[in-house]
Amino acid sequence: MSRINGFIGRRNLLKLAGASGLGLAATSAGGFLWGAQQTVAPQSAQAQGRPRPPAIDADTALKRLLEGNKRFVEEKRQNLQAKLRLQETAAAQYPFASILGCADSRFPAEIVLDQGLGDLFVVRVAGNVASQTAIGSLEFSTAVLGTQIILVIGHERCGAVAAAVEGNPLPGRIGVFVEEIKPAVRRVRGKAGDAVDNAVIANIQYQVERLKETSTILSNLMREGKLKIVGGRYDLDTGELLIVT
């Protein structure tokens, strides 16, 4: 797949999207993608002291994330947020992994995975739901920015999942994302153990499936061996991330 400054070309993005994605490059959204390409010219990044790092495959990326989480748990975090890092990443972004995580304030992805500015492309929404907006963002991070792994992370005692388990009417638009969790809840209804924690894991697995099955771009990247989608459960008490898919 040809790349220009880490971005795939318009023709190749259309191939990934298939016929259903023709509008992506033909509308203003397409203009955004190609316009963004011009704003992060490689010479600008190099002028700031950060040439494009070599791409890493999904397995290496996952290993790096788990090693970062281990450092976090052991209180051995590296200083990856210094001003120098800010200057290095100002001109261009080259994230090595994409995260779909819960918006819960207790899950700041860069901190618990011990990664720095520019390392992760993070999408956060209550219940780590693979909404249409979230899917579009992840299509951008993989097909355009070139990350080869998406890690979907849920966490114990998730309020959004608990609301889906309880099934009570909710005000405003809160019920919108809760409805997208209920199919996962139905899968584990009546299962032995804690109902919410069972649903948390089921929801992680369900959202991974949604990403794989509802996005032509993501499924095509997976078929070409250029993307893996993995799910993990974050423990609020210990800070540990456990892979569950």
PDB file of all heavy atoms in Angstrom, residues 107-131:
ATOM      1  N   PHE A 107      -9.593   6.384  33.811  1.00  0.00           N
ATOM      2  CA  PHE A 107      -8.852   5.678  32.767  1.00  0.00           C
ATOM      3  C   PHE A 107      -8.232   6.658  31.764  1.00  0.00           C
ATOM      4  O   PHE A 107      -8.682   6.803  30.643  1.00  0.00           O
ATOM      5  CB  PHE A 107      -9.750   4.679  32.025  1.00  0.00           C
ATOM      6  CG  PHE A 107      -9.027   3.991  30.898  1.00  0.00           C
ATOM      7  CD1 PHE A 107      -8.049   3.056  31.175  1.00  0.00           C
ATOM      8  CD2 PHE A 107      -9.295   4.327  29.587  1.00  0.00           C
ATOM      9  CE1 PHE A 107      -7.351   2.444  30.135  1.00  0.00           C
ATOM     10  CE2 PHE A 107      -8.597   3.718  28.542  1.00  0.00           C
ATOM     11  CZ  PHE A 107      -7.622   2.778  28.817  1.00  0.00           C
ATOM     12  N   PRO A 108      -7.183   7.374  32.174  1.00  0.00           N
ATOM     13  CA  PRO A 108      -6.425   8.190  31.224  1.00  0.00           C
ATOM     14  C   PRO A 108      -5.426   7.287  30.488  1.00  0.00           C
ATOM     15  O   PRO A 108      -4.428   6.853  31.064  1.00  0.00           O
ATOM     16  CB  PRO A 108      -5.725   9.208  32.123  1.00  0.00           C
ATOM     17  CG  PRO A 108      -5.563   8.499  33.433  1.00  0.00           C
ATOM     18  CD  PRO A 108      -6.693   7.517  33.550  1.00  0.00           C
ATOM     19  N   ALA A 109      -5.691   6.983  29.243  1.00  0.00           N
ATOM     20  CA  ALA A 109      -4.950   5.922  28.539  1.00  0.00           C
ATOM     21  C   ALA A 109      -3.445   6.142  28.540  1.00  0.00           C
ATOM     22  O   ALA A 109      -2.673   5.207  28.800  1.00  0.00           O
ATOM     23  CB  ALA A 109      -5.471   5.803  27.108  1.00  0.00           C
ATOM     24  N   GLU A 110      -3.001   7.363  28.223  1.00  0.00           N
ATOM     25  CA  GLU A 110      -1.557   7.597  28.143  1.00  0.00           C
ATOM     26  C   GLU A 110      -0.865   7.341  29.478  1.00  0.00           C
ATOM     27  O   GLU A 110       0.293   6.905  29.508  1.00  0.00           O
ATOM     28  CB  GLU A 110      -1.264   9.022  27.674  1.00  0.00           C
ATOM     29  CG  GLU A 110      -1.552   9.277  26.200  1.00  0.00           C
ATOM     30  CD  GLU A 110      -3.004   9.646  25.934  1.00  0.00           C
ATOM     31  OE1 GLU A 110      -3.819   9.594  26.892  1.00  0.00           O
ATOM     32  OE2 GLU A 110      -3.316   9.989  24.791  1.00  0.00           O
ATOM     33  N   ILE A 111      -1.550   7.624  30.574  1.00  0.00           N
ATOM     34  CA  ILE A 111      -0.945   7.433  31.891  1.00  0.00           C
ATOM     35  C   ILE A 111      -0.888   5.960  32.264  1.00  0.00           C
ATOM     36  O   ILE A 111       0.171   5.438  32.635  1.00  0.00           O
ATOM     37  CB  ILE A 111      -1.711   8.230  32.961  1.00  0.00           C
ATOM     38  CG1 ILE A 111      -1.562   9.735  32.707  1.00  0.00           C
ATOM     39  CG2 ILE A 111      -1.199   7.873  34.367  1.00  0.00           C
ATOM     40  CD1 ILE A 111      -2.356  10.610  33.645  1.00  0.00           C
ATOM     41  N   VAL A 112      -2.015   5.251  32.160  1.00  0.00           N
ATOM     42  CA  VAL A 112      -2.046   3.859  32.627  1.00  0.00           C
ATOM     43  C   VAL A 112      -1.290   2.925  31.689  1.00  0.00           C
ATOM     44  O   VAL A 112      -0.931   1.806  32.082  1.00  0.00           O
ATOM     45  CB  VAL A 112      -3.492   3.368  32.826  1.00  0.00           C
ATOM     46  CG1 VAL A 112      -4.239   4.282  33.783  1.00  0.00           C
ATOM     47  CG2 VAL A 112      -4.230   3.240  31.505  1.00  0.00           C
ATOM     48  N   LEU A 113      -1.034   3.371  30.457  1.00  0.00           N
ATOM     49  CA  LEU A 113      -0.232   2.576  29.529  1.00  0.00           C
ATOM     50  C   LEU A 113       1.190   3.129  29.416  1.00  0.00           C
ATOM     51  O   LEU A 113       1.996   2.619  28.644  1.00  0.00           O
ATOM     52  CB  LEU A 113      -0.895   2.542  28.150  1.00  0.00           C
ATOM     53  CG  LEU A 113      -2.285   1.901  28.114  1.00  0.00           C
ATOM     54  CD1 LEU A 113      -2.923   2.080  26.743  1.00  0.00           C
ATOM     55  CD2 LEU A 113      -2.216   0.421  28.483  1.00  0.00           C
ATOM     56  N   ASP A 114       1.470   4.163  30.183  1.00  0.00           N
ATOM     57  CA  ASP A 114       2.785   4.817  30.230  1.00  0.00           C
ATOM     58  C   ASP A 114       3.330   5.121  28.834  1.00  0.00           C
ATOM     59  O   ASP A 114       4.408   4.659  28.452  1.00  0.00           O
ATOM     60  CB  ASP A 114       3.793   3.962  31.004  1.00  0.00           C
ATOM     61  CG  ASP A 114       5.044   4.773  31.349  1.00  0.00           C
ATOM     62  OD1 ASP A 114       4.941   6.006  31.459  1.00  0.00           O
ATOM     63  OD2 ASP A 114       6.130   4.161  31.490  1.00  0.00           O
ATOM     64  N   GLN A 115       2.567   5.911  28.095  1.00  0.00           N
ATOM     65  CA  GLN A 115       2.988   6.351  26.771  1.00  0.00           C
ATOM     66  C   GLN A 115       3.018   7.874  26.739  1.00  0.00           C
ATOM     67  O   GLN A 115       2.437   8.541  27.601  1.00  0.00           O
ATOM     68  CB  GLN A 115       2.046   5.798  25.696  1.00  0.00           C
ATOM     69  CG  GLN A 115       1.935   4.294  25.690  1.00  0.00           C
ATOM     70  CD  GLN A 115       3.259   3.586  25.469  1.00  0.00           C
ATOM     71  OE1 GLN A 115       4.096   4.046  24.682  1.00  0.00           O
ATOM     72  NE2 GLN A 115       3.451   2.444  26.129  1.00  0.00           N
ATOM     73  N   GLY A 116       3.682   8.414  25.746  1.00  0.00           N
ATOM     74  CA  GLY A 116       3.904   9.847  25.714  1.00  0.00           C
ATOM     75  C   GLY A 116       3.072  10.578  24.683  1.00  0.00           C
ATOM     76  O   GLY A 116       2.249   9.991  23.973  1.00  0.00           O
ATOM     77  N   LEU A 117       3.311  11.863  24.603  1.00  0.00           N
ATOM     78  CA  LEU A 117       2.667  12.695  23.601  1.00  0.00           C
ATOM     79  C   LEU A 117       2.948  12.127  22.211  1.00  0.00           C
ATOM     80  O   LEU A 117       4.083  11.805  21.871  1.00  0.00           O
ATOM     81  CB  LEU A 117       3.192  14.128  23.682  1.00  0.00           C
ATOM     82  CG  LEU A 117       2.835  14.914  24.948  1.00  0.00           C
ATOM     83  CD1 LEU A 117       3.681  16.165  25.043  1.00  0.00           C
ATOM     84  CD2 LEU A 117       1.357  15.258  24.941  1.00  0.00           C
ATOM     85  N   GLY A 118       1.896  11.985  21.416  1.00  0.00           N
ATOM     86  CA  GLY A 118       2.073  11.509  20.050  1.00  0.00           C
ATOM     87  C   GLY A 118       2.140  10.015  19.872  1.00  0.00           C
ATOM     88  O   GLY A 118       2.221   9.537  18.745  1.00  0.00           O
ATOM     89  N   ASP A 119       2.104   9.247  20.973  1.00  0.00           N
ATOM     90  CA  ASP A 119       2.235   7.791  20.858  1.00  0.00           C
ATOM     91  C   ASP A 119       0.907   7.098  20.559  1.00  0.00           C
ATOM     92  O   ASP A 119       0.880   6.078  19.864  1.00  0.00           O
ATOM     93  CB  ASP A 119       2.806   7.196  22.146  1.00  0.00           C
ATOM     94  CG  ASP A 119       4.284   7.480  22.309  1.00  0.00           C
ATOM     95  OD1 ASP A 119       4.949   7.748  21.294  1.00  0.00           O
ATOM     96  OD2 ASP A 119       4.767   7.443  23.458  1.00  0.00           O
ATOM     97  N   LEU A 120      -0.181   7.620  21.125  1.00  0.00           N
ATOM     98  CA  LEU A 120      -1.474   6.949  21.020  1.00  0.00           C
ATOM     99  C   LEU A 120      -2.507   7.847  20.363  1.00  0.00           C
ATOM    100  O   LEU A 120      -2.550   9.051  20.617  1.00  0.00           O
ATOM    101  CB  LEU A 120      -1.987   6.546  22.411  1.00  0.00           C
ATOM    102  CG  LEU A 120      -1.074   5.698  23.281  1.00  0.00           C
ATOM    103  CD1 LEU A 120      -1.738   5.434  24.622  1.00  0.00           C
ATOM    104  CD2 LEU A 120      -0.709   4.394  22.583  1.00  0.00           C
ATOM    105  N   PHE A 121      -3.363   7.233  19.545  1.00  0.00           N
ATOM    106  CA  PHE A 121      -4.542   7.912  19.006  1.00  0.00           C
ATOM    107  C   PHE A 121      -5.717   7.390  19.820  1.00  0.00           C
ATOM    108  O   PHE A 121      -6.108   6.234  19.678  1.00  0.00           O
ATOM    109  CB  PHE A 121      -4.710   7.590  17.518  1.00  0.00           C
ATOM    110  CG  PHE A 121      -5.785   8.399  16.848  1.00  0.00           C
ATOM    111  CD1 PHE A 121      -5.469   9.545  16.136  1.00  0.00           C
ATOM    112  CD2 PHE A 121      -7.120   8.012  16.929  1.00  0.00           C
ATOM    113  CE1 PHE A 121      -6.457  10.291  15.513  1.00  0.00           C
ATOM    114  CE2 PHE A 121      -8.110   8.754  16.316  1.00  0.00           C
ATOM    115  CZ  PHE A 121      -7.779   9.905  15.600  1.00  0.00           C
ATOM    116  N   VAL A 122      -6.257   8.229  20.690  1.00  0.00           N
ATOM    117  CA  VAL A 122      -7.220   7.771  21.683  1.00  0.00           C
ATOM    118  C   VAL A 122      -8.622   8.288  21.386  1.00  0.00           C
ATOM    119  O   VAL A 122      -8.829   9.490  21.210  1.00  0.00           O
ATOM    120  CB  VAL A 122      -6.804   8.215  23.098  1.00  0.00           C
ATOM    121  CG1 VAL A 122      -7.797   7.691  24.131  1.00  0.00           C
ATOM    122  CG2 VAL A 122      -5.394   7.719  23.424  1.00  0.00           C
ATOM    123  N   VAL A 123      -9.571   7.364  21.334  1.00  0.00           N
ATOM    124  CA  VAL A 123     -10.986   7.687  21.215  1.00  0.00           C
ATOM    125  C   VAL A 123     -11.644   7.233  22.511  1.00  0.00           C
ATOM    126  O   VAL A 123     -11.570   6.059  22.867  1.00  0.00           O
ATOM    127  CB  VAL A 123     -11.635   6.966  20.015  1.00  0.00           C
ATOM    128  CG1 VAL A 123     -13.118   7.307  19.923  1.00  0.00           C
ATOM    129  CG2 VAL A 123     -10.912   7.335  18.723  1.00  0.00           C
ATOM    130  N   ARG A 124     -12.288   8.165  23.216  1.00  0.00           N
ATOM    131  CA  ARG A 124     -12.913   7.823  24.494  1.00  0.00           C
ATOM    132  C   ARG A 124     -14.387   8.181  24.469  1.00  0.00           C
ATOM    133  O   ARG A 124     -14.767   9.304  24.121  1.00  0.00           O
ATOM    134  CB  ARG A 124     -12.215   8.553  25.648  1.00  0.00           C
ATOM    135  CG  ARG A 124     -10.777   8.100  25.860  1.00  0.00           C
ATOM    136  CD  ARG A 124     -10.108   8.850  26.988  1.00  0.00           C
ATOM    137  NE  ARG A 124     -10.728   8.556  28.287  1.00  0.00           N
ATOM    138  CZ  ARG A 124     -10.325   9.130  29.423  1.00  0.00           C
ATOM    139  NH1 ARG A 124      -9.345  10.024  29.408  1.00  0.00           N
ATOM    140  NH2 ARG A 124     -10.920   8.823  30.571  1.00  0.00           N
ATOM    141  N   VAL A 125     -15.212   7.218  24.832  1.00  0.00           N
ATOM    142  CA  VAL A 125     -16.659   7.407  24.911  1.00  0.00           C
ATOM    143  C   VAL A 125     -17.179   6.513  26.030  1.00  0.00           C
ATOM    144  O   VAL A 125     -16.644   5.421  26.249  1.00  0.00           O
ATOM    145  CB  VAL A 125     -17.334   7.075  23.559  1.00  0.00           C
ATOM    146  CG1 VAL A 125     -17.081   5.634  23.164  1.00  0.00           C
ATOM    147  CG2 VAL A 125     -18.824   7.376  23.591  1.00  0.00           C
ATOM    148  N   ALA A 126     -18.185   6.976  26.750  1.00  0.00           N
ATOM    149  CA  ALA A 126     -18.715   6.189  27.858  1.00  0.00           C
ATOM    150  C   ALA A 126     -19.065   4.780  27.404  1.00  0.00           C
ATOM    151  O   ALA A 126     -19.722   4.585  26.382  1.00  0.00           O
ATOM    152  CB  ALA A 126     -19.953   6.880  28.443  1.00  0.00           C
ATOM    153  N   GLY A 127     -18.594   3.799  28.152  1.00  0.00           N
ATOM    154  CA  GLY A 127     -18.866   2.409  27.814  1.00  0.00           C
ATOM    155  C   GLY A 127     -18.013   1.862  26.692  1.00  0.00           C
ATOM    156  O   GLY A 127     -18.305   0.778  26.169  1.00  0.00           O
ATOM    157  N   ASN A 128     -16.934   2.581  26.319  1.00  0.00           N
ATOM    158  CA  ASN A 128     -16.064   2.182  25.195  1.00  0.00           C
ATOM    159  C   ASN A 128     -16.873   1.628  24.023  1.00  0.00           C
ATOM    160  O   ASN A 128     -16.579   0.577  23.446  1.00  0.00           O
ATOM    161  CB  ASN A 128     -14.990   1.168  25.628  1.00  0.00           C
ATOM    162  CG  ASN A 128     -15.470   0.051  26.527  1.00  0.00           C
ATOM    163  OD1 ASN A 128     -15.596   0.251  27.735  1.00  0.00           O
ATOM    164  ND2 ASN A 128     -15.739  -1.117  25.953  1.00  0.00           N
ATOM    165  N   VAL A 129     -17.919   2.382  23.660  1.00  0.00           N
ATOM    166  CA  VAL A 129     -18.843   1.963  22.620  1.00  0.00           C
ATOM    167  C   VAL A 129     -18.296   2.299  21.230  1.00  0.00           C
ATOM    168  O   VAL A 129     -17.806   3.404  20.993  1.00  0.00           O
ATOM    169  CB  VAL A 129     -20.214   2.656  22.827  1.00  0.00           C
ATOM    170  CG1 VAL A 129     -21.096   2.506  21.608  1.00  0.00           C
ATOM    171  CG2 VAL A 129     -20.904   2.077  24.053  1.00  0.00           C
ATOM    172  N   ALA A 130     -18.398   1.346  20.328  1.00  0.00           N
ATOM    173  CA  ALA A 130     -17.975   1.558  18.940  1.00  0.00           C
ATOM    174  C   ALA A 130     -19.102   2.242  18.179  1.00  0.00           C
ATOM    175  O   ALA A 130     -19.752   1.655  17.304  1.00  0.00           O
ATOM    176  CB  ALA A 130     -17.597   0.235  18.297  1.00  0.00           C
ATOM    177  N   SER A 131     -19.327   3.515  18.511  1.00  0.00           N
ATOM    178  CA  SER A 131     -20.340   4.312  17.818  1.00  0.00           C
ATOM    179  C   SER A 131     -19.854   4.635  16.409  1.00  0.00           C
ATOM    180  O   SER A 131     -18.683   4.420  16.070  1.00  0.00           O
ATOM    181  CB  SER A 131     -20.597   5.603  18.584  1.00  0.00           C
ATOM    182  OG  SER A 131     -19.427   6.409  18.578  1.00  0.00           O
TER     183      SER A 131
END
